[in-house]
Structures are given as C-alpha cells and as structure tokens.
Amino acid sequence: MRQRRRAAWLFLLPMLIVLAGVAGWPLFRTVFFSFTDATLATLEGFQGVGLDNYLWLMRDPVWWRAVWNTLVFTVVSVGIETALGLGIALILNAHLPGRGLLRAAVLIPWAIPTVVSAQMWGWMFHDLYGVVNAILMGLGLIAEPRAWTADPDLALPVVIAVDVWKSTPFMALLILAALQMLPRDLYEAARVDGVHPVKVFVRITLPLIRPALMVAVLFRTLDALRVFDLMYVLTGNSRSTMSMSVYARQYLIDFQDVGYGSAAATLLVLVLAVATVLAVTLGRVRVDAGR
C-alpha cells in the first residue's frame, strides 16, 4: 500500500509542479501586491502599506455595489439555469424521434465562445439597429427603442438573460448524464404499482440525481461568481452591472493601481473559497458521487 501511494504521488508530481507554476505563483504574487502600493509603472519600487488597500476597499461603495451585482447575477442566473436545465434534460432523456439532433442543437449556445455570444447579443440589444427592439416594436409591446445595455434598470437583467441562454445547456448536459445512469427497474416497478409520474420524479428521480445536480450547481456558482467577459463586453465598466472581476480589472489595468486591484482580486478568491466550502458543506456534496 505504501508503494502504491508513493507511485501515485510520483505520477501526480509533474502536474502539481505545473499547477504551482501556472496558478500558485500568480496567486501568491497577487496576494503579495495587495499589501503594497505598487502600480504598473512602479512594480519594482513599491512600498508595503499593510492592510490599507483592504481598508479602503471596505469603505468603497462601488466595491459593495460590485459585490451585490455579482451575488444577484449568481443567484438568479444559476437558479434559472438549474430549473431550465433540469427541464431540458428530462425532455432530452425521453424517447423522442430525432433526439440525437436535438441534443446537438441544444449544445450550440454553450459551444459558442462567451465573448462571441456577448458581442452577438450586444448587437441584438442595440438601441438603434437591434433586432430585439424591432421585434418588440413590431408586436406593439414597446413604443420606442430601448437602450437595453445602457439603462441601469435593464442592463443587469439583460446580462442575466444572455448568461441563461449561454449556460443552460451546460446544466442540461450534466443533469442528462445523471439521468441516463439511473436504474430502469425502479421506474418499471413504479409504473407497475401505478405511481403518479410527478411522485416518481419527486421520490425517485430527484433524490438519485441530487449529487450530480449539486455538483453542477457548484460548478456554475463558482463560474458565475467570477464572471467578467460577459459583463465587460455587454456593458463595459458600468456600475449598474459591474462584477467583482470587472472592478478588479478596472483598477489593475485602467487605473494601473496594482496594489489596490490585487486586494480586490484577493477578496474575490476568498469569496470563491468560502462559496465552495459552504456549497460542499451545506449541500453535503461528494464530487465522486456526481460522476
């Protein structure tokens, strides 16, 4: 047993070294710079400032607005994607004619790169020549064109809608894989006993796919908490939709304040870590059970 463990660590060692270089070192540098006054022009001549960056961050209302936007985006988008993904997975799991083609078609939004999807939807929601305004005006639902991504009241719902369109196939794919692994004899026994389909879903299907469902929700939650490209392409640095990642990028690149931006990025990593621990603990998720 000891030799097998030693062999396992030897096989894992190259991957751990690469991971430490690709992820560990940049993370360490980010945390280190968060305690300095470094800028892009003075990466070598910085001074330590202790917790000043974090204290200023805690007093910045724009940061807390970015935190709120990120949490709202995560809760709403992941909730809708889970419900829609479950419904789509149940439909795709049924014996329908042409379901192979239907499965391939459903995956198209997920296969499109996020930047391309965001730019495409940005054109569709454009206030002057967007197809969304043309359709809604043609149906008489709105009287004049709307600036969907510029309106503070509409921008975040638009971003959430685009993310739902983009990421729902991912949820459906993971849930569909879990559905296809369920034992058919349970459903046959329920059918023979005359159990109502809704009761079968609540008492059999849902408990059996729960581990895979929780893993899918965990993955999507972590992905949504660090959202950047979708919001940045659609709305830029708008405060009405700014996420924590967009906030950190603005200070790191636009304002060239490496110390302050690194503090924001470090807090983002801490939020992701806390979210992971809470999801795994409260949901009692076993990653290996979701395979």
Side-chain angles (χ1 to χ4, degrees):
M1 180 62 70
R2 183 176 300 176
Q3 291 181 348
R4 294 180 62 182
R5 290 180 179 177
R6 186 180 304 165
W9 279 109
L10 288 176
F11 282 118
L12 288 173
L13 186 60
M15 183 273 295
L16 294 176
I17 294 176
V18 173
L19 187 62
V22 173
W25 176 245
L27 179 60
F28 170 79
R29 292 276 289 179
T30 300
V31 176
F32 173 78
F33 279 127
S34 69
F35 296 102
T36 69
D37 61 354
T39 65
L40 286 180
T42 61
L43 283 179
E44 302 298 333
F46 55 83
Q47 294 181 350
V49 295
L51 297 175
D52 286 357
N53 288 326
Y54 292 96
L55 295 177
W56 281 107
L57 195 62
M58 293 298 100
R59 292 194 292 262
D60 188 359
V62 180
W63 162 255
W64 290 112
R65 178 62 185 271
V67 172
W68 173 253
N69 290 338
T70 306
L71 293 178
V72 171
F73 172 83
T74 300
V75 172
V76 177
S77 64
V78 174
I80 296 175
E81 290 160 12
T82 303
L84 291 179
L86 180 58
I88 294 173
L90 291 171
I91 295 174
L92 295 178
N93 193 48
H95 295 284
L96 299 174
R99 64 175 181 171
L101 181 61
L102 185 60
R103 291 176 182 177
V106 167
L107 291 177
I108 291 177
W110 183 53
I112 299 176
T114 303
V115 174
V116 177
S117 299
Q119 189 64 57
M120 177 182 67
W121 280 99
W123 291 334
M124 294 174 66
F125 279 111
H126 197 275
D127 56 335
L128 296 179
Y129 51 81
V131 67
V132 174
N133 277 327
I135 293 175
L136 294 179
M137 292 177 64
L139 295 175
L141 298 178
I142 58 175
E144 56 185 11
R146 298 282 187 88
W148 298 93
T149 57
D151 190 330
D153 297 327
L154 298 175
L156 189 57
V158 165
V159 173
I160 292 174
V162 175
D163 185 72
V164 169
W165 175 85
K166 165 71 178 174
S167 301
T168 296
F170 172 79
M171 300 293 290
L173 181 64
L174 293 184
I175 298 173
L176 177 61
L179 289 172
Q180 293 184 335
M181 296 182 65
L182 298 183
R184 296 301 171 188
D185 54 342
L186 294 177
Y187 294 94
E188 183 65 23
R191 187 185 65 81
V192 172
D193 292 340
V195 182
H196 194 276
V198 175
K199 194 172 183 179
V200 171
F201 173 77
V202 174
R203 295 294 182 87
I204 298 178
T205 304
L206 206 54
L208 290 177
I209 66 172
R210 181 177 176 275
L213 185 61
M214 292 301 299
V215 170
V217 170
L218 175 61
F219 286 169
R220 272 301 302 140
T221 299
L222 296 179
D223 192 42
L225 285 173
R226 61 182 181 85
V227 61
F228 169 76
D229 43 8
L230 186 64
M231 289 183 173
Y232 188 74
V233 173
L234 281 173
T235 61
N237 291 323
S238 172
R239 294 186 178 183
S240 60
T241 59
M242 179 180 290
S243 66
M244 292 184 286
S245 296
V246 175
Y247 180 94
R249 181 261 171 203
Q250 185 180 41
Y251 275 90
L252 281 168
I253 306 301
D254 293 347
F255 301 156
Q256 300 188 11
D257 192 339
V258 175
Y260 190 83
S262 296
T266 301
L267 285 185
L268 173 59
V269 173
L270 291 178
V271 170
L272 293 174
V274 171
T276 303
V277 172
L278 290 177
V280 173
T281 302
L282 299 179
R284 295 178 182 177
V285 177
R286 291 178 56 197
V287 177
D288 57 345
R291 294 178 181 176

